[in-house]
């Protein structure tokens, strides 16, 4: 919608399934029906007109697309070839370290450093999603990780320009996001809460947090 090309590395979900998630967020079509091939005429019409709605491209990269492994070096070539301006890494633990670091800490540090260099070389924003350690806890008993709870290595948080922590409160259908680090803004660690429905993509800001009706 913003008019620049996007690439999304998806190591776990196949491109066809991930594309239905995008359609759910764009058009609020029920993902449970799209996922099982229950297409309405409205959705079919949407697919026909979709290419005319944007002048940008959206690429989904799977492991099979890079037989030697998805690494910063291969992603750099992809970014250059397709003029990618936003690269999303949904699973850094699946990536290959071009420098062949021994430990997870060294591996993640190398990958993040190379992705940072990629972003500067091509003017491409890079977003990395990383899991939190399982032992993360808070007073509510619901995981809300900090920059120190990134699984495998703190190198991801150290190199990043901005770090956000995310959590879901499933019983209340609430999604929350908190800014943990920013090199370019004052950070007061404010938490933003949203009521959301994964199945239809509807999302509403909750000014008072998840406890406010």
């Amino acid at each position: 919608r913003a008019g620049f090309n996007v690439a999304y590395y998806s190591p776990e979900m196949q491109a066809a399934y991930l594309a239905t998630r995008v359609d759910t967020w764009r058009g609020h079509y029920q993902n449970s029906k799209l996922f099982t091939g229950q297409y309405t005429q409205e959705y079919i019409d949407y697919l026909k007109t979709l290419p005319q709605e944007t002048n940008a491209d959206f690429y989904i990269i799977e492991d099979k697309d890079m037989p030697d492994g998805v690494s910063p070096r291969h992603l750099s070539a992809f970014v250059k070839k397709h003029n990618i301006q936003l690269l999303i890494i949904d699973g850094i633990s699946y990536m290959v370290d071009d420098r062949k670091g021994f430990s997870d800490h060294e591996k993640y540090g190398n990958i993040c450093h190379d992705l940072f260099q990629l972003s500067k070389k091509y003017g491409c924003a890079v977003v990395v999603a990383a899991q939190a350690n399982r032992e993360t806890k808070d007073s509510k008993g619901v995981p809300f990780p900090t920059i120190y709870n990134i699984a495998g290595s703190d190198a991801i948080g150290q190199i990043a320009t901005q770090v956000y922590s995310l959590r879901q409160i499933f019983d209340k259908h609430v999604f929350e996001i908190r800014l943990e680090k920013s090199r370019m803004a004052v950070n007061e660690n404010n938490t933003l809460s949203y009521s959301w429905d994964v199945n239809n993509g509807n999302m509403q800001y909750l000014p008072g947090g998840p406890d406010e009706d």
Side-chain angles (χ1 to χ4, degrees), residues 27-28 58 67 84 100 113 135 145 200 204:
H28 302 291
F58 178 61
I84 302 299
K100 305 186 185 304
H113 180 271
E135 62 270 19
N200 59 31
Q204 183 178 2

Side-chain angles (χ1 to χ4, degrees), residues 67-92:
D68 294 332
V70 177
S71 71
R73 177 168 58 89
H74 291 122
L75 288 175
S76 182
F78 189 93
V79 166
K80 179 181 179 181
K81 178 179 180 181
H82 298 286
N83 189 29
I84 302 299
Q85 292 163 288
L86 172 61
L87 173 64
I88 302 171
I89 309 293
D90 190 6
I92 192 172

Side-chain angles (χ1 to χ4, degrees), residues 31-205:
N31 196 257
S32 57
K33 292 185 177 181
L34 300 185
F35 196 78
T36 55
Q38 302 179 56
Y39 297 167
T40 64
Q41 186 60 48
E42 181 185 2
Y43 179 65
I44 293 174
D45 293 339
Y46 158 84
L47 292 178
K48 290 179 179 179
T49 59
L50 186 58
Q52 286 76 47
E53 290 187 7
T54 178
N55 58 353
D57 295 323
F58 178 61
Y59 300 88
I60 298 175
I61 302 170
E62 297 183 56
D63 288 324
K64 65 179 178 59
D65 299 320
M66 298 181 179
D68 294 332
V70 177
S71 71
R73 177 168 58 89
H74 291 122
L75 288 175
S76 182
F78 189 93
V79 166
K80 179 181 179 181
K81 178 179 180 181
H82 298 286
N83 189 29
I84 302 299
Q85 292 163 288
L86 172 61
L87 173 64
I88 302 171
I89 309 293
D90 190 6
I92 192 172
S93 62
Y94 292 88
M95 289 187 63
V96 174
D97 175 16
D98 292 310
R99 309 189 212 179
K100 305 186 185 304
F102 180 75
S103 65
D104 283 347
H105 181 84
E106 185 178 2
K107 169 187 172 182
Y108 290 158
N110 291 340
I111 291 174
C112 288
H113 180 271
D114 291 343
L115 289 174
F116 191 74
Q117 294 301 315
L118 177 157
S119 71
K120 292 197 295 183
K121 183 176 181 179
Y122 296 110
C124 173
V126 178
V127 175
V128 175
Q131 295 287 342
N133 295 323
R134 292 183 181 275
E135 62 270 19
T136 304
K137 297 287 183 180
D138 75 349
S139 59
K140 297 180 181 179
V142 180
F144 208 151
T146 71
I147 195 172
Y148 303 103
N149 301 124
I150 299 174
S153 174
D154 61 354
I156 301 172
Q158 290 178 357
I159 295 176
T161 302
Q162 290 182 309
V163 178
Y164 296 90
S165 58
L166 314 173
R167 72 171 174 179
Q168 298 178 58
I169 305 177
F170 289 99
D171 59 336
K172 295 184 178 181
H173 303 284
V174 167
F175 166 83
E176 293 189 325
I177 180 170
R178 183 174 67 195
L179 179 63
E180 299 292 334
K181 170 188 174 183
S182 177
R183 294 182 183 176
M184 301 174 293
V186 175
N187 181 19
E188 298 179 349
N189 293 107
N190 293 327
T191 298
L192 303 177
S193 300
Y194 298 87
S195 172
W196 76 321
D197 188 328
V198 181
N199 190 42
N200 59 31
N202 289 327
M203 198 167 188
Q204 183 178 2
Y205 175 59

